[in-house]
Amino acid sequence: MGAKKKIKEYLSKGVRKLKHRKGFGVHSPFAYAIITEVIEEKLPYYAYRSMRGIYVKHVPVSYKVACLLLRLANRFHCRNAAEIGCDGGYTLLPLLLTDSRMKVVSLADPVTQTRAEFNLSAFTQSANRVTFANSLEQFDEASPFDFIAINANPYEDPEAMKQKSFKPSAVYAQQFVEWLMAHTKDDTVIFVRGIQDGRPNEIFWDQLCDRDDVSITMDLFDYGLAILKPRFFKQHYVVSF
């Protein structure tokens, strides 16, 4: 990331913190509670200490985000999760630490699977609760899921995504949205990485937010949070995180 882009992002986040903190302007009691009691929660959780030394500078998930994943899964009592696009175990770890009954299916290539197995074996005794899959078809038997963490769109060409000129496809985004919604249920929590302009999941996130059956969505700048609450009116919030 260039210096100018870093400065622009820093300023954007600063403005967002001033305008969208502590649930200001949020009239839904449910959304207000999620923002103030989960996203912005400052009190320590039981697993924070064991996670602190793992999420160092160059890993794909920050300590701050890992703590949020744990809080979300804990708040919604999630027991059956999916990770789309394995990142070496860093998204999986806070989910596994949420509850000893948590089980996760992770879409992984051989390299990221090996890395995840090594990291999880080193950091936790819960690696046996993860099932690694190499295709989306393998998720069918385990679904519907109550928590889905999305790091990548599996319909996109992995090699093309590595190129600097890569632009997300609206067609592939729509295909992924349709697959995703077929594997959810009421109260499913969806956490999406990379939703800002030019990021790999930007178009996917926009299409997900546009769906009528995705009732609550929150833009956390780098990440998107969707909660399926069919009984609720459609709500979208920009949240400081």
Side-chain angles (χ1 to χ4, degrees):
M1 185 185 295
K4 288 185 178 180
K5 191 170 183 180
K6 285 184 177 180
I7 293 172
K8 183 179 179 181
E9 184 171 304
Y10 177 79
L11 292 174
S12 297
K13 288 184 176 180
V15 172
R16 177 180 292 230
K17 285 184 178 180
L18 291 174
K19 294 176 62 178
H20 303 287
R21 59 195 179 95
K22 297 183 179 179
F24 291 157
V26 176
H27 301 292
S28 163
F30 175 83
Y32 183 84
I34 296 303
I35 293 170
T36 58
E37 298 173 10
V38 182
I39 296 175
E40 296 183 349
E41 175 62 77
K42 302 300 182 186
L43 295 176
Y45 275 57
Y46 53 90
Y48 283 4
R49 181 176 297 179
S50 62
M51 290 165 49
R52 186 175 294 279
I54 298 168
Y55 293 88
V56 293
K57 186 174 182 180
H58 298 294
V59 301
V61 176
S62 69
Y63 175 71
K64 180 180 179 182
V65 172
C67 291
L68 175 59
L69 287 169
L70 187 146
R71 293 196 301 269
L72 284 167
N74 181 74
R75 176 66 173 234
F76 290 95
H77 307 291
C78 299
R79 301 290 181 267
N80 188 33
E83 178 194 37
I84 310 299
C86 183
D87 60 8
Y90 294 98
T91 292
L92 294 172
L93 181 60
L95 300 180
L96 293 171
L97 291 176
T98 302
D99 191 285
S100 60
R101 293 165 290 181
M102 173 71 85
K103 294 183 178 180
V104 188
V105 182
S106 176
L107 183 66
D109 59 41
V111 174
T112 54
Q113 177 177 339
T114 300
R115 189 181 304 131
E117 289 174 335
F118 176 82
N119 287 334
L120 292 175
S121 297
F123 299 146
T124 178
Q125 304 299 316
S126 306
N128 62 337
R129 291 190 274 122
V130 179
T131 300
F132 290 99
N134 55 30
S135 70
L136 290 177
E137 287 72 20
Q138 293 175 262
F139 285 73
D140 293 344
E141 188 173 331
S143 70
F145 300 101
D146 46 27
F147 193 103
I148 303 177
I150 297 170
N151 297 321
N153 182 345
Y155 287 90
E156 297 278 7
D157 181 356
E159 293 304 316
M161 292 177 68
K162 297 177 183 178
Q163 305 299 319
K164 291 184 178 180
S165 59
F166 170 75
K167 293 184 179 180
S169 164
V171 174
Y172 291 152
Q174 184 59 39
Q175 290 176 331
F176 187 27
V177 169
E178 294 299 332
W179 178 90
L180 177 71
M181 296 307 295
H183 293 77
T184 60
K185 60 181 181 179
D186 291 0
D187 297 330
T188 292
V189 178
I190 303 170
F191 193 77
V192 186
R193 178 191 297 181
I195 66 168
Q196 284 299 303
D197 293 348
R199 302 289 177 87
N201 283 324
E202 174 197 1
I203 296 178
F204 164 77
W205 172 249
D206 290 342
Q207 292 192 6
L208 184 66
C209 290
D210 286 342
R211 288 186 64 105
D212 291 335
D213 49 355
V214 179
S215 45
I216 299 175
T217 51
M218 296 183 179
D219 179 342
L220 280 61
F221 195 83
D222 295 309
Y223 296 86
L225 174 64
I227 304 170
L228 306 189
K229 285 280 188 182
R231 303 172 298 281
F232 284 50
F233 290 110
K234 197 167 180 61
Q235 307 163 38
H236 180 75
Y237 303 98
V238 176
V239 182
S240 171
F241 174 67

